Amino acid sequence: MNLTRPHRPLSNSTIYYYVKQRNLCTSKFTSQYNDENDSHFVSILGDIVRGNQSWKIALNNTYISSTLRPHHVEKVLIQTIDDSRLALRFFNFLGLHQNFHHSTTSFCILVHSLVQSSLFWPASSLLQTLLLRGLDPKEVVERFLNCYMEFKFSSSLGFDLLIQNYVQNKRLLDAVAVVNLMRENNLFPEVRTLSALLNGLVRIRQFNMVLELFNQFVNVGLRPDVYIYTVVVRSLCELKDFVRAKEMIRQAELNRCNLSVVTYNVLIHGLCKSQRAWEAVEIKNLLSGKGLKADVVTYCTLVLGLCKVQEFEVGVELMNEMIELGFVPSEAALSGVVDGLRRKRKIEDAYDIVNRVGRIGVVPNLFVYNALINSLCKEGKLDEVELLFNNMGEKGLFPNDVTYSILIDSSCRRGKLDVAYCYFGKMLEAGIKGTMYSYNSLISGECKFGKLDEAEFLFGEMIDKGVVPTVATYTSLISGYCREGELHKAFRLYHEMTGKGIAPNTYTFTALISGFCRANMMTEAGKLFDQLVERNIMPNEVTYNVMIEGHCMNGNTVRAFELLDEMVEKGLEPDTYTYRPLISGLCSSGRVSEAKELVDELHEEHRKLNEMCYSALLHGFCKEGRLQDALSACRQMVERGVDMDLVCYAVLICGTLKQHDTRKLFGLLKEMQDQGLKPDEVIYTSMIDAYSKAGNLKKAFGFWDLMVAEGCFPNVVTYTALINGLCKAGNMDNAELLLKEMLIGNALPNQMTYGCFLDHLTKEGNMEEAVQLHNAMLKGFLANTVTCNILIRGFCKLGKIQEATELLVGMTDNGIFPDCITYSTFIYEYCRGGNLQEAIKLWNTMLNKGLKPDTLAYNFMMYGCCVTGELTKAFELRDDMIRRGVMPNRGTYNTLIHGTCLKSSVLST
């Protein structure tokens, strides 16, 4: 049917005629007239659209602009179906210049018209404008269908365009509504449109809807292409229906659809995702029989799938295979393999594959790279770490704050603070600000080495730079001060931390408790331990170990074993650090047999003991002179799977030296050699010291020569032991030669070394040279309480109490404080001279200074009381001695017996 009419120009007089006729119209004929008038008006519009005159002038006419309605435009658009470009111009002109609001029907007519003329781009643009109106999708679809049916458009591609627009705008369910309406009216979208819709549905995980649509269209004769088959396989894989997924591929192959490797990759990915990597490998192996080749996606997917099921070695083999084929592994695949190998502790394999694949320009992501560096650091493979770090920039990876923090922390833990500061400097040069982690590591490292001034400087620097200290920061500093015995500074930091609202944790309390234990302040340690529990902060194994060791060192093994029981009740696992102090504590209190019973019980309970535990027991036996028991314990130790180490041999060698058992000594040295162990400086020094003290300088020098020949260099203790023997033997020339050797070498003399010379001079009565040497020691800050005591003893021996007293007064001026031995030396001299009053005065001074008298000091005072007839006072001292926990010895009782006898003889006369 011809919907157009002949063109003729429209004049203003004609427009006026129609206006006049309209005004003369009566209501009776309104309906009929309106229909006729609409036809005339549409005819006028058609003439304007197809005419040569200006649209702007013609359509701005008052009558035209006031009369024009959407249904007029619809009719004009229908009349211009043969020229869809003209229809589009007219449509756009009204919208742009007349602000005309087009009807949905006008949009639908024009879209169908444009599509029919293969003008898809403007049709799509028009649809997008329509959809922006936010209309009910049902209304749009119904109008679209009505226009198509009513005006009998020849192409249904407008529906495809509508579906595609809905898909692009992520209105997938609206697109499905269009498809369903089309199907109900025997209209079918193109295969590519359906493929786009199905892919969109997969993206919003509407897998069942994908399968439903697929089945509906296959049932009406649709022939799917490779893309549709691929999206259906993906949906089935997501639903974990791998049987149907494989059947779908077989169906596609039977329908002679040329499937690509992409479809098989989808199935492989689905299987790998469901941890069925070996089935995926089988699919890959079948590809060559289908005339297909696995691509980089196939290999990378399989590598990741194998990593997911912990088959890292097979993953590495596949990666090697793909590299040989010229494929470059993805970052994800490489990262998966490297991280997997790292987690399985195969650090070297992970490192090797990073290096190998790095040659073709592939590196794992920064997260995995950092994790590998961290693992290598923990394994101590620092050369490999440095190589990885240096190559990062070449591979397009740049270290971040995490990389530097790992390197700084590792260096600090290994005591390589210079390396840590080097990395810290590089971090700042790279424009990366110091973080809490890097500062904490450096502070912890400085504290462990006792460099608290440097740690305090770093602490101040981090605050100045706006890095907020954490509980870890404060705990490191607190621990450092506690190790150095500066408890007041530790508690100052503790109160500063809590004042800032930073809650202390188990490690903080453990550090403070350890400080108290080191200072032998077990009452305070116990109170702090109770406070820890009251705060609901759970003590850990380290906390209990510290407390147990503290009580054992204080001789309170009863409380130590109570804490062990408490620890086990709370579900904490004792370890060798728990058992060693208990064994050592029992041995120190003379209960070595009980310590041996404890070791045997622990073995029967299958508790793992190490060399440290057994060396404590061996030391206990050797201390009591029970060398045979020590050797027997060694045999049991080896039978129980614990190897002898240098410390154990050192303890046994010390035991044999005390018993002067040369045969056993050389037997132990031979046994060490058979075990592949060489004596260290501690063992050589023990042997040299023992023979020097015994006056056998020939053997002492023999071991010295052997030590040097074995490449074991003497230290200050070794030199001092030999010098002490030479001084006692009066061989001062050789002693001075050794001293000179020390001064030019790396073993600088200390207080003990110079003390040997000082002791010799005082015993020889050469006090003038002794004082000169001591003054030189004072200038070199080498004098201490021991060296002062040697001088005081020398003066007292010569009866020069005045000079000795002057030295005592001058000690404190040089920052040296007298000890129990200092006062005991004076007390002995006063008691020996019968000056009990001066002795008592010094005794009280010693007590007032907080010094605890030892057995020898008590014995001297009791001797003074006895010889002056103050026997009652002597027994009072004995009672005070016992009350203070100082054990009397044979000398104590001999003194009291002697005093009693003297008093009896006086009374009898």
Side-chain angles (χ1 to χ4, degrees):
M1 182 176 72
N2 189 4
L3 296 176
T4 61
R5 57 180 298 167
H7 161 69
R8 63 186 175 126
L10 183 67
S11 64
N12 285 335
S13 59
T14 308
I15 296 171
Y16 174 75
Y17 169 78
Y18 283 115
V19 173
K20 185 177 178 182
Q21 291 298 317
R22 177 175 178 143
N23 292 337
L24 294 173
C25 180
T26 63
S27 59
K28 180 178 180 180
F29 302 102
T30 299
S31 178
Q32 180 183 351
Y33 181 79
N34 281 344
D35 290 340
E36 292 175 2
N37 204 29
D38 265 2
S39 297
H40 289 307
F41 185 71
V42 169
S43 177
I44 292 168
L45 288 174
D47 290 340
I48 292 170
V49 169
R50 293 181 180 275
N52 293 324
Q53 67 185 110
S54 168
W55 286 0
K56 188 172 183 179
I57 295 171
L59 295 174
N60 277 340
N61 180 277
T62 306
Y63 165 65
I64 296 292
S65 59
S66 62
T67 306
L68 187 63
R69 296 291 181 271
H71 68 275
H72 297 134
V73 176
E74 291 167 10
K75 291 179 179 178
V76 171
L77 292 174
I78 291 299
Q79 289 177 3
T80 53
I81 284 175
D82 62 325
D83 193 349
S84 54
R85 291 182 187 275
L86 180 64
L88 179 63
R89 282 179 53 220
F90 173 60
F91 183 91
N92 288 337
F93 181 87
L94 290 177
L96 291 172
H97 298 286
Q98 305 295 318
N99 291 323
F100 189 79
H101 186 77
H102 291 292
S103 67
T104 304
T105 303
S106 292
F107 274 96
C108 295
I109 292 168
L110 188 53
V111 167
H112 282 303
S113 176
L114 288 166
V115 167
Q116 191 167 273
S117 300
S118 300
L119 298 172
F120 298 107
W121 186 88
S124 179
S125 178
L126 207 60
L127 268 176
Q128 288 178 19
T129 305
L130 175 63
L131 297 182
L132 287 174
R133 289 187 171 188
L135 300 172
D136 183 358
K138 188 177 179 181
E139 178 190 345
V140 175
V141 174
E142 286 178 352
R143 294 284 182 88
F144 218 76
L145 181 65
N146 289 340
C147 288
Y148 177 80
M149 304 295 284
E150 183 180 349
F151 302 114
K152 297 182 172 48
F153 284 102
S154 60
S155 173
S156 63
L157 291 177
F159 291 98
D160 287 81
L161 214 55
L162 180 60
I163 294 167
Q164 290 165 18
N165 269 274
Y166 274 135
V167 169
Q168 287 169 9
N169 286 282
K170 299 181 181 178
R171 295 171 63 176
L172 282 307
L173 298 181
D174 294 337
V176 172
V178 177
V179 169
N180 287 333
L181 191 65
M182 287 178 71
R183 185 171 47 79
E184 289 169 8
N185 289 275
N186 290 320
L187 295 171
F188 304 104
E190 287 191 325
V191 170
R192 65 188 182 91
T193 304
L194 183 61
S195 176
L197 173 58
L198 296 181
N199 273 296
L201 289 170
V202 164
R203 282 194 291 273
I204 62 169
R205 305 192 65 78
Q206 292 291 329
F207 307 118
N208 286 315
M209 193 174 286
V210 169
L211 301 177
E212 186 181 333
L213 283 172
F214 174 78
N215 290 331
Q216 287 173 356
F217 280 97
V218 168
N219 291 337
V220 295
L222 176 78
R223 186 179 178 84
D225 64 1
V226 62
Y227 303 105
I228 289 181
Y229 275 119
T230 301
V231 77
V232 171
V233 169
R234 178 174 281 113
S235 297
L236 289 167
C237 287
E238 290 290 346
L239 293 169
K240 294 184 171 50
D241 192 345
F242 298 108
V243 173
R244 286 178 64 195
K246 291 175 182 178
E247 287 176 359
M248 189 60 63
I249 287 178
R250 278 195 293 272
Q251 183 182 324
E253 290 170 343
L254 289 172
N255 290 337
R256 296 185 179 180
C257 179
N258 293 323
L259 295 180
S260 69
V261 72
V262 175
T263 313
Y264 294 96
N265 283 348
V266 167
L267 177 58
I268 287 168
H269 178 267
L271 290 166
C272 289
K273 191 177 177 183
S274 294
Q275 300 190 1
R276 297 169 69 166
W278 288 112
E279 287 183 54
V281 171
E282 290 175 9
I283 299 294
K284 175 253 179 190
N285 292 338
L286 294 172
L287 288 177
S288 58
K290 301 176 186 295
L292 297 171
K293 290 182 180 179
D295 62 7
V296 65
V297 175
T298 318
Y299 279 103
C300 289
T301 305
L302 285 170
V303 168
L304 285 168
L306 288 163
C307 289
K308 197 171 185 178
V309 294
Q310 308 293 304
E311 294 287 353
F312 303 111
E313 292 81 359
V314 183
V316 171
E317 288 176 14
L318 271 178
M319 187 166 284
N320 291 334
E321 184 182 318
M322 71 184 291
I323 292 169
E324 287 174 9
L325 291 170
F327 295 129
V328 177
S330 67
E331 178 193 287
L334 177 59
S335 298
V337 169
V338 171
D339 201 44
L341 291 170
R342 182 189 67 82
R343 289 176 187 276
K344 288 190 79 173
R345 313 294 300 167
K346 296 191 174 184
I347 312 300
E348 287 190 14
D349 292 344
Y351 175 75
D352 288 342
I353 200 165
V354 167
N355 274 343
R356 190 164 67 255
V357 178
R359 296 188 192 106
I360 56 174
V362 184
V363 288
N365 59 45
L366 189 56
F367 174 81
V368 173
Y369 213 87
N370 285 344
L372 179 58
I373 287 175
N374 189 37
S375 294
L376 287 167
C377 285
K378 287 178 179 177
E379 293 280 321
K381 300 183 183 298
L382 302 183
D383 291 338
E384 290 87 342
V385 168
E386 191 173 352
L387 188 63
L388 278 180
F389 176 79
N390 292 336
N391 290 341
M392 284 182 81
E394 297 173 11
K395 304 293 170 63
L397 276 180
F398 297 97
N400 60 5
D401 60 320
V402 177
T403 319
Y404 284 109
S405 294
I406 291 167
L407 294 168
I408 291 167
D409 186 61
S410 173
S411 301
C412 288
R413 286 178 186 275
R414 294 181 180 279
K416 297 187 175 183
L417 290 178
D418 53 339
V419 178
Y421 277 109
C422 179
Y423 282 124
F424 188 67
K426 287 181 180 179
M427 177 181 177
L428 298 178
E429 286 173 11
I432 302 170
K433 293 180 180 178
T435 64
M436 169 188 69
Y437 302 104
S438 54
Y439 275 110
N440 282 355
S441 297
L442 289 169
I443 288 170
S444 177
E446 295 286 17
C447 288
K448 282 176 183 175
F449 280 89
K451 297 180 179 179
L452 295 169
D453 290 339
E454 287 85 345
E456 283 280 9
F457 174 79
L458 286 166
F459 182 68
E461 183 182 289
M462 74 183 290
I463 293 172
D464 292 341
K465 291 190 175 181
V467 181
V468 181
T470 64
V471 65
T473 321
Y474 279 102
T475 299
S476 292
L477 288 164
I478 288 168
S479 182
Y481 280 119
C482 286
R483 273 196 294 270
E484 295 298 314
E486 298 188 60
L487 289 173
H488 61 290
K489 289 187 178 180
F491 273 95
R492 175 182 61 77
L493 281 169
Y494 172 76
H495 292 306
E496 179 185 316
M497 177 181 78
T498 53
K500 289 181 178 180
I502 301 171
N505 58 20
T506 304
Y507 302 101
T508 317
F509 277 105
T510 301
L512 290 168
I513 289 168
S514 177
F516 278 132
C517 291
R518 286 170 186 267
N520 201 24
M521 300 167 69
M522 292 311 298
T523 304
E524 291 79 359
K527 288 178 182 177
L528 200 58
F529 184 81
D530 294 338
Q531 188 182 338
L532 170 74
V533 177
E534 286 167 11
R535 286 176 173 242
N536 291 322
I537 300 173
M538 286 300 295
N540 59 18
E541 287 88 349
V542 179
T543 319
Y544 275 102
N545 289 349
V546 165
M547 284 292 292
I548 287 168
E549 185 169 19
H551 282 298
C552 286
M553 288 176 69
N554 202 38
N556 191 354
T557 52
V558 174
R559 178 58 183 149
F561 276 97
E562 286 175 358
L563 285 168
L564 173 66
D565 295 337
E566 185 182 308
M567 179 181 183
V568 174
E569 284 172 11
K570 289 186 176 179
L572 297 173
E573 190 70 28
D575 57 14
T576 53
Y577 293 97
T578 318
Y579 298 125
R580 183 192 56 78
L582 289 168
I583 296 164
S584 186
L586 289 170
C587 291
S588 298
S589 58
R591 298 154 66 189
V592 183
S593 297
E594 289 181 48
K596 177 65 169 63
E597 288 174 11
L598 174 62
V599 169
D600 291 340
E601 285 174 14
L602 291 171
H603 175 69
E604 288 171 9
E605 293 172 7
H606 303 290
R607 302 285 183 181
K608 186 73 175 174
L609 298 180
N610 63 4
E611 299 87 349
M612 289 194 305
C613 299
Y614 279 99
S615 65
L617 178 62
L618 299 180
H619 184 264
F621 278 130
C622 290
K623 190 178 177 183
E624 291 190 356
R626 297 165 62 179
L627 185 59
Q628 287 303 324
D629 289 331
L631 293 170
S632 175
C634 281
R635 285 191 291 272
Q636 274 192 336
M637 168 184 171
V638 174
E639 287 169 6
R640 291 170 179 176
V642 182
D643 294 327
M644 292 276 288
D645 64 357
L646 278 175
V647 176
C648 293
Y649 278 111
V651 171
L652 290 175
I653 286 169
C654 282
T656 60
L657 289 168
K658 283 180 183 177
Q659 293 194 0
H660 309 291
D661 193 333
T662 307
R663 185 181 170 200
K664 279 194 174 65
L665 171 64
F666 283 100
L668 286 169
L669 291 172
K670 171 90 169 48
E671 187 180 312
M672 281 182 69
Q673 188 178 9
D674 294 341
Q675 295 291 330
L677 296 172
K678 288 184 177 182
D680 61 1
E681 61 268 18
V682 175
I683 294 174
Y684 277 117
T685 301
S686 298
M687 294 187 291
I688 291 166
D689 184 52
Y691 283 111
S692 294
K693 285 176 179 175
N696 193 341
L697 291 172
K698 184 177 179 182
K699 279 197 174 180
F701 271 104
F703 280 114
W704 175 279
D705 294 337
L706 182 62
M707 179 182 186
V708 175
E710 288 289 330
C712 187
F713 298 102
N715 57 25
V716 63
V717 182
T718 322
Y719 274 103
T720 301
L722 198 52
I723 286 171
N724 184 46
L726 290 168
C727 287
K728 283 184 177 179
N731 192 345
M732 300 308 295
D733 291 339
N734 283 331
E736 287 175 9
L737 282 172
L738 281 177
L739 180 65
K740 289 176 182 177
E741 190 177 309
M742 289 179 77
L743 290 168
I744 61 173
N746 293 322
L748 292 176
N750 60 14
Q751 296 98 327
M752 296 292 290
T753 316
Y754 288 112
C756 296
F757 290 95
L758 200 63
D759 184 60
H760 173 76
L761 291 170
T762 57
K763 283 179 179 178
E764 291 291 316
N766 193 348
M767 295 306 297
E768 187 178 345
E769 284 191 33
V771 170
Q772 288 176 0
L773 175 59
H774 196 260
N775 287 338
M777 291 174 71
L778 281 169
K779 289 178 182 177
F781 301 103
L782 288 170
N784 61 11
T785 305
V786 175
T787 59
C788 288
N789 287 346
I790 293 171
L791 269 185
I792 288 169
R793 187 194 65 199
F795 281 123
C796 288
K797 188 179 177 182
L798 295 174
K800 297 182 177 182
I801 303 298
Q802 182 62 35
E803 287 86 342
T805 304
E806 289 174 4
L807 183 59
L808 175 64
V809 173
M811 282 176 73
T812 51
D813 294 339
N814 289 303
I816 302 169
F817 300 97
D819 62 4
C820 180
I821 295 172
T822 316
Y823 286 105
S824 296
T825 305
F826 280 99
I827 288 167
Y828 175 71
E829 288 302 319
Y830 283 127
C831 288
R832 194 176 65 157
N835 193 348
L836 185 60
Q837 294 303 315
E838 283 297 322
I840 291 172
K841 192 186 293 183
L842 274 177
W843 179 267
N844 291 331
T845 302
M846 179 173 69
L847 294 178
N848 291 335
K849 288 182 178 290
L851 294 172
K852 293 180 181 179
D854 59 10
T855 305
L856 195 61
Y858 274 106
N859 288 351
F860 287 161
M861 277 300 297
M862 282 187 271
Y863 170 75
C865 292
C866 288
V867 295
T868 55
E870 296 284 347
L871 191 60
T872 304
K873 178 69 175 172
F875 275 97
E876 285 176 1
L877 283 165
R878 192 277 312 267
D879 295 340
D880 181 63
M881 177 184 189
I882 294 169
R883 189 165 53 252
R884 288 176 181 267
V886 181
M887 296 301 293
N889 61 11
R890 182 177 295 178
T892 313
Y893 293 109
N894 286 340
T895 301
L896 291 171
I897 291 167
H898 179 65
T900 305
C901 292
L902 280 175
K903 188 170 184 180
S904 298
S905 63
V906 170
L907 289 172
S908 63
T909 56

